[in-house]
Amino acid sequence: MMNFYKISLTVLLVLVCASALTDEAQAQRKRREIKLEELQTPKEPTVSKGSTSLSAEALAKQLMKTPDAMLQAAVAGYQRESYAEAESLLTKYAALSVDEPLPRRELGNLMHAKSLAQLGRRDEAMRELGGLRLAFTTEDLRREADFDAAALEVQAGNVVIAAKGFASVVGSAWSPVEASIIKRKAAMYLSILAAAFLSTNDVKSLLPAVENKNLRALLLNELARKELAVAVPEQADSVVARLNMLIPDTMLQDTTIYAPYRAILSQTRSDAASLKKQTSIFRLGVVLPVTIDLFDGTENMSLGSMLLLGAMESAENYRKLATQMRLALFVKTAATPGDAVAAATALIEKDSVQMILGPAYSSHAVPVSQLCALKGVPMITPTATDDGVTKNMPMSFQLNPTHRARGKCIAQFLMETYGVKTVGIVAQDSTYGKQMAEGFREEVESKGGDIKLYAILPTGFKKFPNDVLKPLALRFHKLRGYPETKLDAIYIPMSSFESIAITLSQLKFYNITGRVVGSGDWHDAVLLKQYQQIQEKADSVIYAVDSDATIDSPETKRVADAYQQKWGGTPETNFWLGYDAVDFLAAAVLEKGIDERTKIADAIRNAPPIRTNHSEIFFNGGNVNVRMNIMRFAKGSIERLR
């Protein structure tokens, strides 16, 4: 059994917190054997102590009397995002832990500072971290304290100080081949800061303070990109001369610099040399909610950060192949809808961008879409799904299908591929599944299909309400039960594990059969196997998912390998969404030499289906991508049908 006293914070958070932070772990939380009795409200568990029965609450209070249990409970509270509870427990732990081992007390101190930061008490957290980093006896905890302090400096607006802090975390000898998550993440954050937060002068002032040659190479590349973004062909000679000074031949020949980074610098110099030939430039404004978070023991980053990394990598790849039109990214971060509108306004009016990539969230994308409509500037969001982003907005586009479009997409596939005519639809109210159900119904009815069952169930339902099945006119036989009611397909756009299990068990009870059709939240082989065990007559399950970046694809593998070379890790799903957004624009717009705003919108709207790494993209003359990955689960494995 692992000794809890010897677990560092990094390891502890990997074990305890990662389940809330990764797609795989989220699925793991759901992965357990389905027992229908679990679906009922459980009784409060009790524990016997002699002849006395203790309730779970009483037991918890008893266990909390020990400092060890208190620290574990605090970590668990932090993992649940119950930061006030964690902070309170850690304060008590500090008072009771005088005799606890020093590594445990230091861990408690760092967790307390993290909890303060998560509660918005940034100044207090920064003061604590400032003292802790000097007092900690282990290098790992000192490095993590420095990482968190740098993240808080970003939040405070002290971006140059933050960048120096991340450079310190990386150290002087790091390269991507080193298996250190915290150093790799600090290096990636430094690159993001240089692209999205730091000005040209900021980067110049930062360079002398960075000892690590590999970090300097990354920063020099971002500096060169910033200069190239505003350069014009008439300045080609002076730009080339300046970049040759920034990136001299001796640097390109320095074998102590990581080889892939030297290749990046060499490509940047080549781009500068091609400035005279590439007479036109595509200025792409990027508005994303880039956040720099506290270290959590994992490689995961926020949605905005990963989208930006993907967009940057895709732009680098395009530049290697571009012959006529240059691509320049102008990046601004936005934490609120108001920030997003201000950022887009500045990009349009000051930087004269031809279009906007982003925002990521629907609440940001809707007002920016309205602004772009007024300004006549095309906008494409990689992730926002709200109908309002593109409704009556001819210049705005959604790469991620709206929920209504998702329902239509899977319905269209079923009717065209399997000749589906009779269907049942079971969804939940107050969820996006309801919108998917509406889209599915609209598509089926528009194609002459017959909706035999349409049920929008209340949140937290335990069984089908009596009126739900009335349209089927079911008759119960005392000996044989319910006769089989055959439908061509049963669409269940739900995400809750329990709700799906209850729905399938109810369909089985009432003997309603048909091809089971799920939604993107079903994209897990273990879960699908359990669902299939409930609905025994379903030989397969079909569903649509918005992202399926299969590394088996040669192009996707090439990009993943390049990412691994550059950063030493594996791209997350959100990286592909950012990468493919720029990749799609390159194929639909840039490679055709289109730079006029109205023509850009027309080119996107009328582009043929384009297969990217995570999905096919096809607007079919409209403003919302109508394609998704159609998946089938059969015989224990998942395959992509389209």
Side-chain angles (χ1 to χ4, degrees), residues 262-386:
R262 283 186 281 131
I264 291 172
L265 292 175
S266 179
Q267 179 62 45
T268 300
R269 277 197 16 179
S270 296
D271 292 347
S274 302
L275 191 57
K276 286 184 178 180
K277 299 177 184 177
Q278 297 174 326
T279 56
S280 59
I281 180 170
F282 193 94
R283 304 164 73 88
L284 179 61
V286 180
V287 179
L288 292 172
V290 179
T291 56
I292 307 297
D293 301 321
L294 304 182
F295 187 63
D296 57 16
T298 77
E299 298 186 48
N300 293 338
M301 293 187 181
S302 68
L303 170 64
S305 296
M306 289 311 302
L307 289 173
L308 178 57
L309 282 174
M312 291 166 59
E313 191 65 29
S314 188
E316 288 285 352
N317 187 61
Y318 168 79
R319 293 179 186 121
K320 295 176 184 177
L321 307 173
T323 57
Q324 180 181 356
M325 183 177 288
R326 286 189 294 134
L327 171 61
L329 302 186
F330 294 79
V331 182
K332 291 192 179 296
T333 65
T336 67
D339 291 343
V341 171
T345 301
L347 288 168
I348 294 168
E349 296 181 353
K350 295 181 181 180
D351 296 312
S352 302
V353 298
Q354 277 121 316
M355 77 173 299
I356 298 290
L357 171 60
Y361 301 131
S362 293
S363 59
H364 294 196
V366 170
V368 171
S369 178
Q370 295 167 349
L371 170 71
C372 287
L374 290 174
K375 299 288 187 180
V377 176
M379 181 200 95
I380 189 164
T381 169
T383 50
T385 56
D386 193 288

Side-chain angles (χ1 to χ4, degrees), residues 30 32 34-36 38-40 426-431 433 455-465 490-508 516 519 521-522 527 531 534-535:
K30 300 178 184 176
R32 65 175 189 272
I34 297 176
K35 298 179 181 177
L36 297 183
E38 288 183 0
L39 305 178
Q40 307 302 319
V426 185
Q428 280 183 281
D429 201 1
S430 303
T431 68
I456 304 299
L457 304 176
T459 302
F461 73 97
K462 298 300 180 184
K463 63 179 182 177
F464 287 176
I490 306 170
Y491 184 44
I492 310 172
M494 296 182 182
S495 58
S496 163
F497 175 90
E498 286 76 13
S499 297
I500 295 169
I502 291 172
T503 299
L504 292 172
S505 65
Q506 287 283 281
L507 292 171
K508 179 181 179 181
V516 175
S519 58
D521 292 295
W522 295 42
L527 291 175
Y531 297 155
I534 297 176
Q535 192 71 3

Side-chain angles (χ1 to χ4, degrees), residues 467-480:
D467 60 340
V468 163
L469 301 175
K470 282 185 178 180
L472 297 178
L474 302 179
R475 294 290 183 269
F476 180 76
H477 191 280
K478 291 184 178 180
L479 297 178
R480 295 187 295 271

Side-chain angles (χ1 to χ4, degrees), residues 10 41 124 142 155 192 197 330 389 475 498 580 584 589:
T10 298
T41 303
E124 294 175 69
R142 283 197 299 272
Q155 296 178 21
I192 288 172
F197 291 85
F330 294 79
V389 175
R475 294 290 183 269
E498 286 76 13
D580 288 346
F584 169 78
V589 179

